[in-house]
Amino acid sequence: KNQVEQSPQSLIILEGKNCTLQCNYTVSPFSNLRWYKQDTGRGPVSLTIMTFSENTKSNGRYTATLDADTKQSSLHITASQLSDSASYICVVSAEKGGGNKLTFGTGTQLKVEL
Amino acid sequence: SAVISQKPSRDICQRGTSLTIQCQVDSQVTMMFWYRQQPGQSLTLIATANQGSEATYESGFVIDKFPISRPNLTFSTLTVSNMSPEDSSIYLCSVEGRLYNEQFFGPGTRLTVL
């Protein structure tokens, strides 16, 4: 069964600090891995997408890594801001019949405080 | 990217009634997806809606409970029928982008059933 597990479940950090969120997956056949940011009361917004051949991708202060051998990914947030407070969701896409089937993690709830 | 709007943004409904959620996209798309996000949970795919054909439902979801319409390439509706408190969730509309089948999400409809 395809699964995506994220850790930690929740995290509180001080503004300006860095943090790293983890994602482990058992999804096959692997197509790509995505990180989304979901603000409270909003739909998820894509941060990064990585295919099998990519092991790092950045989007501003967000840097995602992918180790396809160990089936792990991380999302590193640099110099956190109050607006980074949100749920971060790891999503892994499996190839299925010419399309993609997504498996969602339960998310890491990040709170950035002064 | 695609801009997606949903109506209503939130609603409080009585047990046994039905609610229809509308999803409008700013461009023509082949497939539209409906997701449910229960409190503290990850997103779960309800069904995939193709224009001109019946929606394809995921395991655990049935057409009688969640009828879907897809009258054209920019619009879809999801009805939550005969609601119970267990249906209290955020319902999200989503479409695929062209790159890596990236998915874009609407802002969601927050439904509370009393």
Side-chain angles (χ1 to χ4, degrees):
Chain A
K1 179 182 177 184
N2 290 341
Q3 284 188 315
V4 175
E5 295 182 352
Q6 293 186 243
S7 62
Q9 192 171 33
S10 63
L11 182 63
I12 301 175
I13 62 174
L14 295 176
E15 186 181 29
K17 298 296 185 182
N18 304 335
C19 67
T20 301
L21 315 180
Q22 301 292 342
C23 173
N24 296 335
Y25 63 91
T26 53
V27 173
S28 127
F30 177 87
S31 177
N32 58 69
L33 184 144
R34 314 151 186 223
W35 282 94
Y36 284 87
K37 178 187 179 187
Q38 185 175 23
D39 292 309
T40 301
R42 302 286 186 94
V45 174
S46 178
L47 295 175
T48 62
I49 300 178
M50 289 182 291
T51 61
F52 184 87
S53 60
E54 298 173 295
N55 54 28
T56 187
K57 184 164 279 191
S58 293
N59 178 359
R61 294 179 297 103
Y62 301 103
T63 300
T65 65
L66 172 65
D67 186 333
D69 291 332
T70 62
K71 299 186 178 180
Q72 295 179 325
S73 176
S74 65
L75 180 69
H76 186 74
I77 304 174
T78 304
S80 60
Q81 300 176 357
L82 296 177
S83 59
D84 292 332
S85 296
S87 177
Y88 291 84
I89 304 172
C90 177
V91 183
V92 183
S93 174
E95 295 176 5
K96 178 185 177 187
N100 285 272
K101 184 170 178 62
L102 303 183
T103 302
F104 290 79
T106 53
T108 291
Q109 190 68 42
L110 173 66
K111 185 174 183 182
V112 181
E113 296 182 335
L114 290 171
Chain B
S1 65
V3 178
I4 305 170
S5 60
Q6 287 185 231
K7 290 182 182 179
S9 58
R10 58 177 61 223
D11 207 341
I12 300 173
C13 301
Q14 295 298 319
R15 181 195 298 260
T17 63
S18 297
L19 176 72
T20 295
I21 302 167
Q22 299 179 5
C23 176
Q24 180 75 51
V25 189
D26 69 341
S27 58
Q28 293 184 338
V29 292
T30 304
M31 290 194 289
M32 296 177 76
F33 306 88
W34 286 99
Y35 287 86
R36 181 175 73 182
Q37 187 176 27
Q38 294 178 303
Q41 303 296 314
S42 63
L43 280 73
T44 301
L45 181 64
I46 297 171
T48 302
N50 289 330
Q51 194 268 335
S53 63
E54 291 231 344
T56 302
Y57 289 82
E58 297 297 305
S59 175
F61 298 96
V62 294
I63 188 171
D64 290 345
K65 176 67 176 177
F66 297 101
I68 288 171
S69 78
R70 183 78 202 275
N72 58 53
L73 292 174
T74 63
F75 187 80
S76 178
T77 68
L78 169 76
T79 299
V80 186
S81 303
N82 188 24
M83 289 184 286
S84 66
E86 292 70 35
D87 293 320
S88 297
S89 291
I90 298 173
Y91 291 85
L92 295 143
C93 173
S94 175
V95 303
E96 272 189 343
R98 293 178 181 163
L99 186 64
Y100 303 131
N101 302 115
E102 179 181 11
Q103 282 201 287
F104 301 98
F105 291 87
T109 295
R110 184 179 293 272
L111 171 62
T112 302
V113 184
L114 302 177

